[in-house]
């Protein structure tokens, strides 16, 4: 048995010394130390060894195994070092080359404008509320005092999923849903995507974004509306900004108005941006119609409120002096990198 073990040891060591690659080294390991390897076969034949000789033979087997394992690991380490050295020679790195910088994205102009508007109104105590883009016709029109045959509905003719389900034309339905669920006082803005059957041009798109605001409380007057929106305009466009209200008509507010701000480019003197008028239309607003309050479960004799709506893209176009709305959606990296 001693001669057999010595023969196995010498053969294995010789083969390891001749080995040139990792795959061959692994084959040698399996051939001598694996489950069906030669040393394992010796251990299986221990039953044929005299009982008094078994401890001595077992010790010899373990010594042989330890010697082979040590030689295998030593050879493996040498091979790995040699491979690494060859790899380093083949893959030279020029440390004088400039580093490759990762191209990191940034916020879209719409997102920048929206966060600015949200910051202003959250600072005034408003909450930001979102609602579904696929809306019931009732919330999109009827609950806002726009019955089926109202002319205002023709102006907002939009994309219908069915007779009673529509892609919302404004975020005002979020205001109605909030009034139904929450008792006054209410101070909220509702930003989101809206849809209308508009032709695509420099200032129109069938899909765009609106930010609508609502305040409901006791003793709310038009003066509160004017003060709030004047402060909003100053925060957004600068402390020297002035506002002007012009009478208008919206079915869901009474009285209603459109608000202009002094041109922040020329300060109201007249320029290309304001088309020489010195004023720029920015949003629509008004006192919430008593019928809208009543339909939402709020007593108009006890509560009153105001609402307003502004186009997010319009704010982005004005604030960053962009002359074509389509630029916001063409994903041209040369344009977006400017922000």
């Amino acid at each position: 048995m001693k001669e057999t073990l010595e023969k196995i040891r010498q053969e294995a060591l010789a083969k390891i010394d001749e080995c040139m690659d990792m795959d061959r080294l692994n084959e040698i390991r399996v051939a001598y130390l694996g489950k069906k390897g030669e040393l394992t076969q010796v251990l299986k034949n221990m039953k044929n060894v005299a009982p008094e000789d078994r401890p001595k033979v077992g010790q010899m087997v373990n010594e042989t195994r330890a010697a082979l394992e040590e030689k295998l690991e030593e050879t493996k380490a040498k091979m790995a070092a040699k491979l690494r050295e060859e790899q380093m020679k083949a893959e030279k790195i020029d440390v004088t080359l400039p580093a490759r910088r990762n191209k990191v994205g940034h916020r879209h102009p719409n997102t920048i404008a929206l966060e600015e508007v949200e910051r202003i109104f959250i600072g005034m105590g408003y909450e930001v509320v979102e609602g579904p883009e696929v809306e019931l016709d009732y919330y999109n029109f009827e609950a806002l005092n726009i019955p089926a045959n109202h002319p205002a509905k023709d102006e907002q003719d939009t994309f219908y999923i069915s007779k009673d389900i529509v892609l919302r034309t404004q975020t005002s339905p979020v205001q109605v849903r909030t009034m139904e669920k929450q008792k006054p006082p209410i101070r909220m803005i509702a930003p989101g995507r809206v849809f209308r059957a508009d032709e695509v041009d420099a200032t129109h798109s069938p899909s765009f974004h609106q930010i609508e605001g609502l305040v409901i409380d006791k003793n709310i007057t038009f003066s509160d509306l004017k003060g709030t929106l004047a402060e909003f305009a100053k925060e957004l466009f600068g402390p020297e900004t002035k506002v002007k209200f012009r009478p208008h008509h919206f079915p869901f507010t009474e009285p209603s108005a459109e608000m202009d701000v002094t041109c922040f480019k020329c300060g109201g003197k007249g320029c290309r941006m304001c088309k020489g008028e010195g004023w720029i239309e920015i949003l629509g607003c008004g006192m919430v119609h008593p019928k809208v309050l009543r339909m939402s479960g709020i007593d108009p004799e006890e509560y009153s409120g105001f609402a307003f709506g502004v186009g997010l893209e319009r704010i982005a176009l004005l604030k960053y002096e962009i002359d074509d709305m389509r630029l916001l959606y063409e994903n041209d990296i040369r344009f977006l990198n400017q922000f």
Side-chain angles (χ1 to χ4, degrees):
M1 183 66 70
K2 181 178 180 180
E3 291 77 10
T4 302
L5 287 172
E6 185 62 26
K7 182 181 179 181
I8 292 173
R9 176 173 178 168
Q10 294 302 324
E11 285 181 356
L13 291 174
K15 289 181 179 179
I16 293 172
D17 286 335
E18 296 171 358
C19 185
M20 300 298 291
D21 58 73
M22 288 287 192
D23 292 336
R24 176 59 182 156
L25 191 67
N26 189 54
E27 290 175 3
I28 295 171
R29 180 189 293 275
V30 173
Y32 288 93
L33 304 179
K35 290 182 178 180
K36 296 181 181 180
E38 299 211 20
L39 275 181
T40 306
Q41 295 302 319
V42 171
L43 288 172
K44 287 182 179 179
N45 293 327
M46 288 283 286
K47 61 184 178 182
N48 300 324
V49 178
E52 61 273 14
D53 294 333
R54 287 177 185 174
K56 187 180 294 184
V57 173
Q59 182 180 357
M60 292 171 62
V61 171
N62 289 335
E63 289 175 354
T64 302
R65 176 183 291 277
L68 294 183
E69 287 180 344
E70 182 181 354
K71 185 65 174 180
L72 285 166
E73 290 300 320
E74 179 184 341
T75 304
K76 182 180 178 181
K78 289 180 180 179
M79 286 184 177
K82 185 177 180 181
L83 287 172
R84 179 62 177 166
E85 184 179 353
E86 291 176 355
Q87 184 182 15
M88 292 293 289
K89 289 179 180 178
E91 299 179 358
K92 291 183 178 179
I93 300 173
D94 187 349
V95 295
T96 65
L97 287 174
R100 293 179 181 177
R101 295 183 179 180
N102 291 329
K103 291 185 177 180
V104 181
H106 54 80
R107 295 174 299 168
H108 190 274
N110 275 357
T111 304
I112 299 172
L114 176 59
E115 290 177 352
E116 179 69 8
V117 173
E118 288 182 347
R119 181 192 65 79
I120 293 170
F121 280 105
I122 289 173
M124 294 182 185
Y126 286 60
E127 62 176 329
V128 180
V129 184
E130 296 182 348
E133 293 180 2
V134 181
E135 187 58 273
L136 293 173
D137 181 271
Y138 171 78
Y139 286 107
N140 198 75
F141 292 117
E142 290 188 30
L144 295 170
N145 199 29
I146 307 176
N149 298 321
H150 198 285
K153 196 169 184 178
D154 294 335
E155 296 175 2
Q156 296 187 18
D157 190 23
T158 184
F159 306 98
Y160 284 84
I161 307 300
S162 67
K163 180 182 177 182
D164 299 321
I165 301 176
V166 65
L167 297 184
R168 66 184 182 187
T169 62
Q170 53 206 355
T171 57
S172 298
V174 183
Q175 299 175 346
V176 177
R177 289 178 176 273
T178 302
M179 286 190 288
E180 288 182 346
K181 297 176 183 178
Q182 181 179 331
K183 293 182 178 180
I186 298 171
R187 286 174 176 79
M188 59 161 285
I189 58 171
R193 186 185 295 273
V194 298
F195 307 86
R196 295 185 188 180
D198 288 340
E199 296 289 338
V200 176
D201 59 29
T203 56
H204 295 85
S205 172
S207 175
F208 56 100
H209 299 78
Q210 274 195 338
I211 306 170
E212 306 229 3
L214 175 72
V215 172
I216 303 292
D217 205 343
K218 294 181 179 180
N219 303 316
I220 297 295
T221 66
F222 204 93
S223 296
D224 298 309
L225 166 63
K226 292 177 68 176
T228 298
L229 295 182
E231 187 63 26
F232 162 66
K234 290 178 181 179
E235 287 286 330
L236 188 63
F237 298 115
E240 303 301 322
T241 304
K242 297 179 181 179
V243 298
K244 177 176 67 174
F245 291 84
R246 293 177 287 103
H248 196 72
H249 172 263
F250 298 110
F252 34 85
T253 54
E254 180 61 37
S256 305
E258 285 188 339
M259 188 183 85
D260 301 337
V261 298
T262 48
C263 179
F264 41 85
K265 183 75 173 177
C266 64
K269 297 177 182 178
C271 66
R272 181 188 62 83
M273 190 166 189
C274 61
K275 299 178 182 179
E277 297 181 0
W279 296 90
I280 299 175
E281 179 190 332
I282 189 69
L283 57 79
C285 58
M287 301 300 293
V288 180
H289 199 290
K291 188 175 181 181
V292 173
L293 291 174
R294 193 175 292 110
M295 291 177 70
S296 301
I298 296 175
D299 184 3
E301 299 296 328
E302 184 177 1
Y303 293 99
S304 59
F306 63 80
F308 57 89
V310 57
L312 178 60
E313 283 81 0
R314 183 164 183 77
I315 290 178
L317 293 178
L318 293 172
K319 191 170 180 63
Y320 302 113
E321 299 183 26
I322 304 169
D323 56 8
D324 195 324
M325 180 177 173
R326 289 168 291 194
L327 291 170
L328 296 172
Y329 300 109
E330 291 177 348
N331 295 324
D332 189 330
I333 196 70
R334 295 170 299 177
F335 169 76
L336 295 176
N337 273 340
Q338 300 177 52
F339 302 92

